[in-house]
Amino acid sequence: MRRVSSPKNLSEDSAGGAPAVPYLPLSPDDATAQDASIGSLVKDAAQQVSTLVRAEVELIKAEAVGEAKKAFRGSLFFVLAGVIGLYSSFFFFFFLGELIAEWLPRWAAFGIVFLLMLVTAGLAAYAGLRKWRRVRKPQRSIDSLKDTADVLRHRGTRAEEETTGSSTAR
């Protein structure tokens, strides 16, 4: 398929780096469209509908890819914030150990902080395991694909039966 864009958006497409999408002109290119036969008009209409559908699909793809790139770039900042948060948690636990060391021996204070961290990690792992066990296979999609395959398989069998003239019931 030839990749073109409307003359109005041609300069915008090349400047933005976005791929050009096919389009249909709204006015005929020549005056011979009035003299065309019904068959050629139907052919042109079918071709234009096909081009229109393809153009819509290309437009959706182009927009989706662009938005996905924006989302990815934005998510990098969340990852950066998470990494910094994880590294700063070390200082929080060190502070907590020093704070508890005001009332207990230092070894006991840091032992308590260590046990607190282990219990927190264990609870998070348990919660994650419970959520993981709830994940199920997409049964409705699997059933739908099986039904579609059955219909297509039986459709081919019926077409063969009609061409051979046999009318065996199933």
Side-chain angles (χ1 to χ4, degrees), residues 93-106:
F93 288 116
F94 190 76
F95 160 76
L96 190 60
E98 289 293 333
L99 182 66
I100 295 173
E102 292 291 322
W103 298 284
L104 297 174
R106 194 166 188 194

Side-chain angles (χ1 to χ4, degrees), residues 20-97:
V21 295
Y23 80 104
L24 292 174
L26 297 178
S27 61
D29 291 339
D30 53 67
T32 59
Q34 294 174 352
D35 300 333
S37 67
I38 299 279
S40 65
L41 290 175
V42 169
K43 178 184 169 191
D44 288 344
Q47 184 180 18
Q48 288 180 355
V49 167
S50 174
T51 303
L52 180 63
V53 169
R54 288 180 185 165
E56 289 294 327
V57 169
E58 289 295 324
L59 178 63
I60 290 169
K61 279 193 223 177
E63 286 179 344
V65 167
E67 293 302 314
K69 285 180 182 179
K70 286 180 193 176
F72 177 73
R73 288 183 196 126
S75 66
L76 289 178
F77 288 107
F78 285 117
V79 170
L80 179 64
V83 168
I84 292 172
L86 284 174
Y87 280 124
S88 67
S89 67
F90 168 77
F91 294 104
F92 171 74
F93 288 116
F94 190 76
F95 160 76
L96 190 60

